[in-house]
Amino acid sequence: MPAATRTTIAGIAAEVGVSVPTVSKVLNGRPDVAPSTRALVEESIARHGYQRREAKGKRRSAPRLVELVFHEYGAPWAVEIIRGVEAVAGPARVGVVLSELGGEHRPRQEWLDDVLARRPLGVILVLSDLGEEQRRQLETRSIPFVVVDTAGEPPAGVPTVGSANWNGGLVATRHLLGLGHRRVAIISGPSDVMCSRARIDGYRSAFDEAGVPYDPDLVRYGNFFVEGGYQHGRELLSRPNRPTAIFAGSDFQALGVLRAARELGLHVPEDLSVVGYDDLPVTEWIGPALTTVRQPLLEMASTATRIVLSLAEGEQPSNLRIDLATELVVRESTAPPARGKSTAPPAHGESTTPPVG
């Protein structure tokens, strides 16, 4: 049986009926190709499983870059991600190109065309992902990619790095229930983001574990930013039967809750306990210092960068899904509820006297 013939650019050009330079333009993300022609070329590339192979030494002569793509980077946690990427890319003498998707979780084709033109070593996507066709375009150009804190369920075969979000929601809520709080609200992130849903699942599991029913009306989906915590916090804390504790799905949302509480004349932690998420450096310096769930953002970003650089060298990771540990950091913003504020029965086997400390 004859050996399979490797598909070439010339072969693709002949099949589609275009010139070799036109196929090369498509492969390089050049904009000066008609959309209909581009689609035909991409279909042929996909049908034949074509994958660009660099000539020996050619990639090393080009700028060594990784693309770091945020769905939105107007928050300090994005700075932690950038620091983590630079911690690995810098010593490797790899440059970092930043992109922001304006709050969207999937980039436009124009962004992908620019990436194909730059031909980076790899792409790191934060809280964002690629469509099937976009993934195929990167794969055919031998540009690996890794997703950090995936927005949705990652497709099979896509390397992802995240943290134990379910456990983070569990330990935060378990802490508040252990202090004696029963009306515990949660303001998570956007409902279409997987880590937001995982933290809410952990929150619910803590109630189940304690044998305490939770109130679905105290569950909110925010946006990870200050205004989300503030708006939902004002609404929750203005109720006659307000929560005595709020678990915010990010430290910045916790800051918004603190402002809402202050405007309503509530003191933290005497009248309201607040837990954040991320453990950004600012949490130690605000008053009161914030109890929060530490998410290893630096380590997540560094791990993703090491993976994408290894993939660029032709190595395959032993594990495609990495979830780093989260832990609760207890500071000054949580305390037992004031007497008479716990409105639900105690957990099974639990004393009715709120614990101290």
Side-chain angles (χ1 to χ4, degrees):
M1 184 174 180
T5 303
R6 182 186 158 202
T7 302
T8 64
I9 292 178
I12 292 172
E15 178 181 280
V16 178
V18 298
S19 67
V20 169
T22 296
V23 176
S24 181
K25 286 180 181 181
V26 173
L27 286 169
N28 291 321
R30 290 274 299 274
D32 51 338
V33 178
S36 58
T37 302
R38 180 188 300 276
L40 289 172
V41 172
E42 292 287 0
E43 287 172 8
S44 179
I45 289 170
R47 184 165 53 252
H48 292 287
Y50 173 85
Q51 190 164 6
R52 168 186 276 153
R53 290 170 176 81
E54 299 287 352
K56 188 174 180 181
K58 185 176 181 182
R59 169 157 279 182
R60 290 185 178 87
S61 67
R64 289 166 51 83
L65 304 172
V66 292
E67 300 271 340
L68 177 57
V69 187
F70 291 92
H71 88 294
E72 204 166 15
Y73 53 44
W77 62 263
V79 175
E80 297 299 297
I81 293 290
I82 294 169
R83 288 177 58 206
V85 171
E86 284 285 0
V88 175
R93 303 191 70 178
V94 172
V96 180
V97 178
L98 294 179
S99 300
E100 198 239 25
L101 305 181
E104 298 296 325
H105 295 294
R106 183 166 294 174
R108 297 190 305 263
Q109 183 62 37
E110 291 84 355
W111 168 85
L112 186 57
D113 289 341
D114 291 341
V115 171
L116 299 181
R118 284 190 287 268
R119 296 173 67 179
L121 295 175
V123 177
I124 301 170
L125 299 123
V126 184
L127 270 178
S128 53
D129 200 358
L130 301 171
E132 182 179 351
E133 174 63 24
Q134 293 175 325
R135 290 194 296 272
R136 185 162 54 243
Q137 287 182 53
L138 287 183
E139 288 164 356
T140 57
R141 278 74 167 182
S142 296
I143 300 175
F145 55 95
V146 177
V147 178
V148 176
D149 231 350
T150 175
E153 187 64 33
V158 175
T160 60
V161 180
S163 66
N165 288 290
W166 179 87
N167 184 70
L170 177 74
V171 297
T173 312
R174 181 189 282 164
H175 170 66
L176 294 169
L177 292 171
L179 289 171
H181 295 277
R182 293 296 173 265
R183 288 191 59 75
V184 180
I186 180 171
I187 306 171
S188 193
S191 60
D192 61 346
V193 174
M194 193 166 71
C195 67
S196 302
R197 300 194 300 271
R199 292 169 197 175
I200 287 180
D201 288 343
Y203 159 88
R204 290 169 178 153
S205 295
F207 277 92
D208 292 342
E209 175 187 80
V212 175
Y214 80 95
D215 183 354
D217 200 33
L218 296 181
V219 175
R220 296 290 185 277
Y221 289 96
N223 60 3
F224 288 142
F225 290 93
V226 174
E227 62 270 19
Y230 174 76
Q231 292 165 4
H232 287 297
R234 284 280 307 196
E235 186 269 321
L236 287 164
L237 296 174
S238 297
R239 298 175 163 208
N241 193 17
R242 64 170 179 80
T244 63
I246 295 180
F247 168 34
S250 71
D251 289 337
F252 259 45
Q253 286 192 152
L255 293 181
V257 171
L258 292 175
R259 175 173 176 175
R262 185 169 61 250
E263 290 180 357
L264 293 170
L266 300 174
H267 297 90
V268 176
E270 294 84 0
D271 302 316
L272 175 72
S273 285
V274 179
V275 178
Y277 203 103
D278 288 330
D279 193 30
L280 298 175
V282 70
T283 56
E284 295 185 73
W285 296 98
I286 62 175
L290 186 66
T291 294
T292 187
V293 176
R294 176 175 293 152
Q295 180 174 213
L297 295 168
L298 280 168
E299 292 86 346
M300 289 161 59
S302 296
T303 300
T305 309
R306 282 191 288 269
I307 291 173
V308 85
L309 293 181
S310 295
L311 288 168
E313 294 297 322
E315 302 172 13
Q316 291 300 314
S318 56
N319 189 353
L320 290 177
R321 175 69 195 183
I322 299 175
D323 280 325
L324 302 180
T326 52
E327 62 177 318
L328 183 70
V329 180
V330 180
R331 296 195 179 101
E332 300 168 358
S333 65
T334 52
R339 288 189 177 275
K341 292 295 184 182
S342 182
T343 58
H348 296 319
E350 174 184 284
S351 168
T352 55
T353 302
V356 177

